Amino acid sequence: MQVRSIGLGGVVELVPAKYGDERGYFSETYNKARLSEHGIDLDFVQDNQSYSARRGVLRGLHYQLEPRAQDKLVRVLKGSIFDVAVDIRRGSPTFGEWVGLELSEGKWNQLLIPKGFAHGFVTLEDHTIVAYKVTDCYSPEHDRGIRFDDPDIGISWPIEADALQLSAKDGTATSLANAEVFE
């Protein structure tokens, strides 16, 4: 498995080995011991999956506050997304900064997003399926969101704003300046 930092502390791209022949392929997409060799020692407790029918579905920016904060390991089963992590650790030197990476079934890559980061993605293709592991279960009381288009963050989404499709919850999320974040 290849492990590569992508610019903000703790956010890493993982690319599992993939072995194929004329029948298809096999890949070990998660191996706790192998990740531990790279200093990643997490206990995932829940798997989530989303299906987006159209290109331009934007989900996020989501996170959970302590004590129910979540590390996430995100991968694409079908299609492609532009995946984003935003540092929301108020004392961090990179507070409010973001990184983005294309994840796709073809690239076979994953993104590890640690606690203290808001997460979101936009689909780049119709019929995209995203799966992710989390280190704590969903907790509505701790669930929070930040606007995807907050100018203080300045994410460069690769889809035109008028083509984005958002949930009502995401469309009314607060700004980073007004959000409860990690202290």
Side-chain angles (χ1 to χ4, degrees), residues 19-26:
Y19 308 97
D21 59 25
E22 66 281 352
R23 300 169 299 152
Y25 68 84
F26 170 82

Side-chain angles (χ1 to χ4, degrees), residues 117-170:
F117 287 79
H119 170 249
F121 65 85
V122 65
T123 58
L124 302 176
E125 300 178 43
D126 292 349
H127 307 294
T128 293
I129 300 173
V130 177
Y132 56 101
K133 297 180 165 310
V134 293
T135 55
D136 202 341
C137 296
Y138 175 68
S139 174
E141 304 83 46
H142 299 89
D143 185 39
R144 299 293 186 275
I146 296 172
R147 287 199 58 81
F148 74 96
D149 60 353
D150 185 327
D152 290 337
I153 300 171
I155 298 170
S156 298
W157 297 101
I159 304 285
E160 315 73 43
D162 61 349
L164 295 175
Q165 302 164 56
L166 294 110
S167 69
K169 173 185 161 184
D170 290 345

Side-chain angles (χ1 to χ4, degrees), residues 20 33-34 37 48-49 60 86 90-91 126 131 138 141 151 156 167 173:
R34 287 216 197 315
E37 292 169 6
N48 301 322
Q49 186 169 313
V86 179
R90 195 171 303 282
D126 292 349
Y138 175 68
E141 304 83 46
S156 298
S167 69

